Amino acid sequence: MKSTRNQSSASEFILLGLPIRPEEQGMYYALFLATYLTTVLGNLLIILLIRLDSHLHTPMYFFLSHLAFTDISFSSVTAPKMLMNMLIHSQSISYAGCISQVYFFLFFADLDSFLLTSMAYDRYVAICHPLHYTRIMSQSICILLVIASWFLSFAGALVHTILLARLSFFRGNTVHHFFCDLSALIKLSSSDTSINELVILVVGSLVITVPFVCILVSYGRIGATILKTPSIKGICKALSTCGSHLSVVSLYYGAIIGLYFVPSSNDTNDKDVIVAVMYTMVTPMLNPFIYSLRNRDMKGALRNMLARATSSM
């Protein structure tokens, strides 16, 4: 007896890609290639600096190193395939490749959310409970938070992927996106997707809404603590430690709100595709610049590494 997938699903999907004219393909290919390489090299630099500089062996930079790795992986889920399709003028992706892309996209998107929440909690403890910071944010607690983030991301992405693999695709195999987006595939399916949509609502609340609320509560408490501090120096110090993280949170959740919560026209998916480019490529690229330009410790570590490299030449 043939499997349901063999009967009802094509062996590949067609990705319509980005809404750009053929004569502009070369320019956009160069732009996206530069963006992706900057993302990879910039986040690798963050990981290297944290690894080499003992002053950065703190909970905040421990979480930041995992966030940098996640950003590289998140961008790598979609960018290489998109760039390859643009280069060879192909729009196809295999069924297995599409399902795998959905899984890893969801996994690293969820992991980003949980890591940003852990970093917000770290800043809350550092500013609101400075005398107990070392005890609360111990090495074992930090490792436990990262393990929990990886496990919850794995479980959430796996649930969506298993439910997606059960769907049939009689209507066609053309995806109006530059990667295999879960919502685009559900719209394409000819099966009953009510369970998928319910799980998206429930799991999405757990992995996106709940962490976002936790971040807001953390910064609400931080703000209340800062207002109680009459010292301008104390306020500036608090803002300097939180500014980079707040910028990254604004970029991350701003893109999610624009992509999933702002209604778009039923006649076009161009807005969703453009926002997805911001979400998957631009935001991971900007994170290293935010943490390098706005963070005194990271700039100091970079200067020290360059000085050591220069002296050894």
Side-chain angles (χ1 to χ4, degrees), residues 180-253:
C180 289
D181 178 63
L182 177 62
S183 60
L185 289 171
I186 288 177
K187 291 177 183 177
L188 186 65
S189 174
S190 54
S191 304
D192 179 12
T193 59
S194 56
I195 295 179
N196 298 73
E197 293 166 359
L198 177 62
V199 171
I200 287 175
L201 179 62
V202 174
V203 176
S205 298
L206 292 176
V207 302
I208 299 296
T209 307
V210 171
F212 183 54
V213 170
C214 290
I215 292 173
L216 291 179
V217 170
S218 296
Y219 276 102
R221 299 293 297 272
I222 289 171
T225 301
I226 291 174
L227 292 176
K228 294 178 183 177
T229 305
S231 169
I232 299 297
K233 182 179 179 181
I235 294 175
C236 292
K237 182 179 179 181
L239 291 176
S240 69
T241 61
C242 297
S244 300
H245 181 254
L246 269 176
S247 300
V248 173
V249 167
S250 300
L251 282 171
Y252 178 82
Y253 285 102

Side-chain angles (χ1 to χ4, degrees), residues 38-313:
T38 303
T39 297
V40 174
L41 295 176
N43 283 287
L44 281 176
L45 178 62
I46 284 182
I47 295 172
L48 181 64
L49 289 175
I50 294 173
R51 181 76 176 177
L52 295 179
D53 196 315
S54 59
H55 294 97
L56 300 181
H57 293 175
T58 63
M60 183 175 74
Y61 294 108
F62 173 74
F63 293 127
L64 178 58
S65 64
H66 282 270
L67 183 68
F69 172 78
T70 303
D71 283 337
I72 294 173
S73 304
F74 183 52
S75 190
S76 297
V77 171
T78 57
K81 179 61 179 175
M82 181 190 72
L83 291 169
M84 180 61 69
N85 285 357
M86 293 177 71
L87 183 65
I88 65 177
H89 302 288
S90 170
Q91 295 178 307
S92 65
I93 183 172
S94 67
Y95 179 89
C98 189
I99 296 299
S100 299
Q101 194 176 61
V102 169
Y103 171 78
F104 286 108
F105 178 86
L106 294 173
F107 174 78
F108 288 114
D110 294 349
L111 186 56
D112 240 334
S113 179
F114 287 123
L115 288 174
L116 288 173
T117 307
S118 298
M119 294 173 75
Y121 177 68
D122 171 76
R123 293 299 82 205
Y124 159 72
V125 176
I127 294 174
C128 298
H129 303 283
L131 299 180
H132 303 287
Y133 178 75
T134 305
R135 177 178 60 82
I136 296 174
M137 298 304 298
S138 63
Q139 184 179 18
S140 59
I141 292 297
C142 293
I143 293 174
L144 183 62
L145 285 172
V146 169
I147 291 175
S149 298
W150 278 76
F151 175 76
L152 291 173
S153 302
F154 164 78
L158 186 63
V159 170
H160 286 305
T161 308
I162 290 174
L163 291 175
L164 176 64
R166 297 173 64 249
L167 298 181
S168 303
F169 295 94
F170 287 117
R171 293 177 183 172
N173 64 340
T174 302
V175 181
H176 293 267
H177 224 300
F178 66 92
F179 70 97
C180 289
D181 178 63
L182 177 62
S183 60
L185 289 171
I186 288 177
K187 291 177 183 177
L188 186 65
S189 174
S190 54
S191 304
D192 179 12
T193 59
S194 56
I195 295 179
N196 298 73
E197 293 166 359
L198 177 62
V199 171
I200 287 175
L201 179 62
V202 174
V203 176
S205 298
L206 292 176
V207 302
I208 299 296
T209 307
V210 171
F212 183 54
V213 170
C214 290
I215 292 173
L216 291 179
V217 170
S218 296
Y219 276 102
R221 299 293 297 272
I222 289 171
T225 301
I226 291 174
L227 292 176
K228 294 178 183 177
T229 305
S231 169
I232 299 297
K233 182 179 179 181
I235 294 175
C236 292
K237 182 179 179 181
L239 291 176
S240 69
T241 61
C242 297
S244 300
H245 181 254
L246 269 176
S247 300
V248 173
V249 167
S250 300
L251 282 171
Y252 178 82
Y253 285 102
I256 289 179
I257 292 170
L259 186 59
Y260 295 110
F261 294 98
V262 176
S264 59
S265 170
N266 293 327
D267 300 328
T268 177
N269 292 304
D270 288 358
K271 186 271 294 182
D272 293 343
V273 173
I274 293 169
V275 175
V277 171
M278 292 289 297
Y279 179 46
T280 60
M281 296 191 68
V282 178
T283 299
M285 179 196 69
L286 291 178
N287 289 355
F289 292 101
I290 291 171
Y291 279 102
S292 298
L293 298 177
R294 295 179 59 91
N295 190 289
R296 187 180 303 171
D297 294 334
M298 291 296 296
K299 288 189 287 188
L302 181 59
R303 282 195 297 266
N304 292 338
M305 187 182 76
L306 293 175
R308 287 196 298 267
T310 303
S311 62
S312 62
M313 292 178 63

